[in-house]
């Protein structure tokens, strides 16, 4: 497809387990963002990738969260030793080059539930 | 730092009624402004955007928004709401000041009564 693809769409796991969430941005988009959306809340910025530059990790809530982007395309968000408060929808978005006048293109998110 | 305020957490309207969702921003210059819609179980979809020029912008699905510099507002409107418009609506300001991170409002949940 031509849009941002995220997998899995749903993930249920036990507290303490590690999880990996995947994002496939629109082809050619160099800017990639991860957000967290807790129930009834707005978007919480997590991390931003732009091309081959060092990512902006300023939104990651703890050192249990990490992300990488391989080859400037697919990104993986990893949460280690999951906690119940990590339960949320994780959204990925991309834009052509991160310019402030560019709208973001969002995937449908991964709904993460920690038991 | 810039900020975006959506004062209404929930809005309830009857189908066929008009709609206005409020958005106020805080930024020294004219920012790039966006409205997104999020249907249940989906990501955010762009409704419309404002950069400069005509302060009334048209978007998809019959929505429009008006930029008012004097009020630092960018309110979203629709003359006649359909049941399918029930969703979460987010106002956003494009990244400024060297940042690449846009600022989103907390969202307004639209409930449509038949």
């Amino acid at each position: 497809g031509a849009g941002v693809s995220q997998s899995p769409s749903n993930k249920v796991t036990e507290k303490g387990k590690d999880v990996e969430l995947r994002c496939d941005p629109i082809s050619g988009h160099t800017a990639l963002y991860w957000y967290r959306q807790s129930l009834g809340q707005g978007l919480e910025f997590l991390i931003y990738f732009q091309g081959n530059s060092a990512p902006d990790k300023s939104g990651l809530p703890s050192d249990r969260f990490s992300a990488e982007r391989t080859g400037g395309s697919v990104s993986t968000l990893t949460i280690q030793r999951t906690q119940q408060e990590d339960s949320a929808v994780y959204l990925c978005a991309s834009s052509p080059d991160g310019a402030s006048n560019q709208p973001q293109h969002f995937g449908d998110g991964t709904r993460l539930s920690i038991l | 730092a810039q900020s975006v305020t959506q004062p209404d957490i929930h809005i309830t309207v009857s189908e066929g009624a008009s709609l206005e969702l409020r958005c106020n921003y805080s930024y020294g210059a004219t920012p790039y402004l966006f409205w997104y819609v999020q249907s249940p179980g989906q990501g955010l979809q762009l409704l419309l955007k404002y950069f400069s020029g005509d302060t009334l912008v048209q978007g998809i699905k019959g929505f429009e928004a008006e930029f008012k510099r004097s009020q630092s507002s960018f309110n979203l409107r629709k003359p006649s709401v359909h049941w399918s418009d029930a969703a979460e609506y987010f106002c956003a300001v494009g990244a400024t000041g060297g940042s690449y991170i846009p600022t989103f409002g907390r969202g307004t949940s639209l409930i449509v009564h038949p």
Side-chain angles (χ1 to χ4, degrees):
Chain A
V4 176
S5 178
Q6 291 188 246
S7 60
S9 54
N10 288 282
K11 177 72 176 178
V12 180
T13 193
E14 294 180 345
K15 176 182 172 181
K17 301 286 189 181
D18 298 351
V19 295
E20 285 190 351
L21 312 180
R22 176 188 168 103
C23 173
D24 212 331
I26 291 174
S27 178
H29 282 195
T30 62
L32 186 148
Y33 307 76
W34 282 99
Y35 295 92
R36 179 168 69 176
Q37 188 176 29
S38 301
L39 188 62
Q41 302 297 311
L43 274 67
E44 175 188 5
F45 164 74
L46 296 177
I47 189 168
Y48 166 71
F49 293 91
Q50 171 54 280
N52 295 320
S53 301
D56 179 347
K57 305 179 182 180
S58 60
L60 294 179
S62 77
D63 59 8
R64 296 187 295 104
F65 288 72
S66 63
E68 63 177 19
R69 188 178 185 190
T70 54
S73 180
V74 172
S75 177
T76 302
L77 177 69
T78 300
I79 308 174
Q80 296 179 310
R81 305 181 302 282
T82 52
Q83 303 295 313
Q84 288 188 331
E85 60 263 29
D86 299 333
S87 295
V89 175
Y90 290 82
L91 292 168
C92 175
S94 71
S95 70
D97 62 17
S100 56
N101 64 347
Q102 293 171 354
Q104 297 187 317
H105 301 258
F106 284 82
D108 286 340
T110 293
R111 183 175 300 276
L112 177 63
S113 299
I114 309 299
L115 302 179
Chain B
Q2 64 191 37
S3 65
V4 178
T5 301
Q6 293 181 248
D8 304 304
I9 297 175
H10 303 284
I11 290 279
T12 301
V13 299
S14 298
E15 192 170 17
S18 63
L19 171 69
E20 182 170 35
L21 301 182
R22 296 183 291 165
C23 173
N24 293 95
Y25 67 90
S26 172
Y27 180 58
T30 300
Y32 300 119
L33 295 161
F34 307 87
W35 273 101
Y36 293 86
V37 61
Q38 184 182 30
S39 297
Q42 298 184 13
L44 280 69
Q45 178 187 18
L46 179 70
L47 282 176
L48 47 77
K49 59 189 177 186
Y50 173 77
F51 296 161
S52 64
D54 192 347
T55 57
L56 185 63
V57 293
Q58 303 297 320
I60 63 171
K61 305 186 181 189
F63 285 91
E64 66 179 25
E66 185 172 13
F67 170 66
K68 292 186 177 180
R69 184 191 306 275
S70 62
Q71 298 177 19
S72 296
S73 69
F74 188 55
N75 294 349
L76 182 71
R77 302 196 294 247
K78 187 170 184 178
S80 178
V81 170
H82 188 263
W83 65 267
S84 61
D85 293 324
E88 191 84 15
Y89 291 81
F90 292 91
C91 180
V93 170
T96 59
S99 169
Y100 290 91
I101 315 304
T103 300
F104 285 84
R106 290 196 56 177
T108 297
S109 178
L110 176 63
I111 300 165
V112 180
H113 282 315

